[in-house]
Amino acid sequence: MSAKGKKRIAAAITHLLMTALGIVMIYPLLWMLLSAFKTNSEIFGSTALLPVEPVWDSFIKGWKGTGKVTYTQFYINTFKLVIPTVLFTVFSCSLVAYGFARFRFYGKKVLFMLMISTLMLPNSVLIIPRYILYNKLGWLNSYLPFIMPALFACYPFFIYMMVQFFRGIPVALDEAAEIDGCNTFQVYWRILLPLMKPALFSAAIFQFIWTWNDFFNSLIYINSVSKFPIVLALRMSLDATAAANWNQVLAMSVLSLLPGTILFFSAQKYFVEGVSAGSVKG
């Protein structure tokens, strides 16, 4: 067999394996979507992927939520929590990264090492001191425990990622901008920030998905049903009755995945560039 023929066979086998792997990975999502149209007995009593007797109102009934609070309110609550957190994280972390990447000051290396070392702290160690602090500040049962840390750049992973990206941008651009009359903040805002789009989008996507799916911290800091984000609403729908309507729970779970999925595919180009650049530079 010629070398060209061997390459074609290898490519065909690779495509088959990738297709099989893709089907295995997408199967749970497909099952969740199609199970939203099944009855409880069919979900737990049949292994068939397609519903035998489709139920068409699970999305409408599920959207009504529990009691007087509908999923419209849960979605509004989630966006109130997530959007400021993402925007403040991107702005504050990029500003701190700009300082570490472009300026020389006393104790810079020590501060950078301390900042990186906080990455090693497990979240379980921080829960109790954070809860006591937020309780004394009167921030419990609000979204401030999520928003305020984002405002003060409390996410060292994003800072480190952006520092690496800043170091890949030539310093000559800063010097040229200063000669043209830009001050320090204008260099950051007008020159460097537009070049940072891949890193900014990567940080925004990561933070959006992590905050959107953050069940543990939401459960600790928010105790009013009218302020529940979607993750708590989904959990509450299982507690409301002894026999949960699983098709409605799965229908709302499908809808809860949409914002993150749309954001990811909308910014996929910048996300891939940002992650690859962060892994190569530095």
Side-chain angles (χ1 to χ4, degrees), residues 249-268:
V249 176
L250 293 171
M252 293 302 101
S253 300
V254 170
L255 293 182
S256 72
L257 295 176
L258 290 181
T261 306
I262 293 171
L263 177 66
F264 176 78
F265 283 107
S266 301
Q268 186 179 18

Side-chain angles (χ1 to χ4, degrees), residues 26-236:
I26 205 172
Y27 180 82
L29 290 174
L30 198 58
W31 180 88
M32 183 171 67
L33 174 62
L34 295 175
S35 295
F37 300 97
K38 297 178 180 177
T39 59
N40 272 8
S41 58
E42 194 176 350
I43 290 174
F44 295 104
S46 171
T47 57
L49 191 61
L50 295 174
V52 178
E53 297 177 358
V55 177
W56 300 105
D57 58 353
S58 55
F59 284 88
I60 297 173
K61 288 184 177 177
W63 191 266
K64 294 178 182 177
T66 304
K68 296 180 180 178
V69 187
T70 67
Y71 268 81
T72 304
Q73 184 64 44
F74 294 137
Y75 262 88
I76 293 172
N77 294 341
T78 310
F79 282 118
K80 282 182 180 176
L81 189 157
V82 172
I83 291 176
T85 303
V86 171
L87 293 179
F88 288 145
T89 297
V90 170
F91 175 71
S92 61
C93 290
S94 64
L95 197 60
V96 173
Y98 174 55
F100 276 122
R102 285 297 199 255
F103 296 94
R104 293 181 181 178
F105 51 89
Y106 182 76
K108 174 182 171 181
K109 290 185 178 179
V110 175
L111 287 175
F112 191 73
M113 288 176 61
L114 285 174
M115 188 271 296
I116 293 297
S117 65
T118 59
L119 277 171
M120 311 301 171
L121 287 173
N123 190 45
S124 54
V125 174
L126 302 175
I127 286 296
I128 294 176
R130 276 181 179 172
Y131 185 87
I132 294 172
L133 174 65
Y134 296 154
N135 186 30
K136 289 184 176 180
L137 292 172
W139 290 357
L140 296 184
N141 199 27
S142 74
Y143 305 135
L144 291 177
F146 301 89
I147 296 172
M148 295 309 290
L151 186 60
F152 291 98
C154 293
Y155 297 96
F157 171 74
F158 297 133
I159 296 173
Y160 177 73
M161 184 178 71
M162 292 182 189
V163 166
Q164 298 297 89
F165 206 91
F166 270 120
R167 287 173 178 170
I169 300 175
V171 180
L173 287 176
D174 302 29
E175 297 170 349
E178 289 173 358
I179 291 173
D180 289 338
C182 288
N183 57 34
T184 303
F185 186 77
Q186 287 173 330
V187 171
Y188 158 76
W189 187 258
R190 293 186 175 182
I191 307 300
L192 298 180
L193 216 53
L195 299 174
M196 290 281 293
K197 280 183 181 177
L200 299 179
F201 274 99
S202 299
I205 291 173
F206 274 127
Q207 184 68 315
F208 184 93
I209 294 174
W210 290 347
T211 310
W212 187 278
N213 296 326
D214 188 357
F215 175 80
F216 186 66
N217 287 304
S218 300
L219 183 66
I220 290 175
Y221 298 130
I222 301 174
N223 50 44
S224 173
V225 175
S226 62
K227 295 181 180 178
F228 272 10
I230 288 177
V231 286
L232 294 185
L234 290 172
R235 180 65 185 86
M236 187 178 65

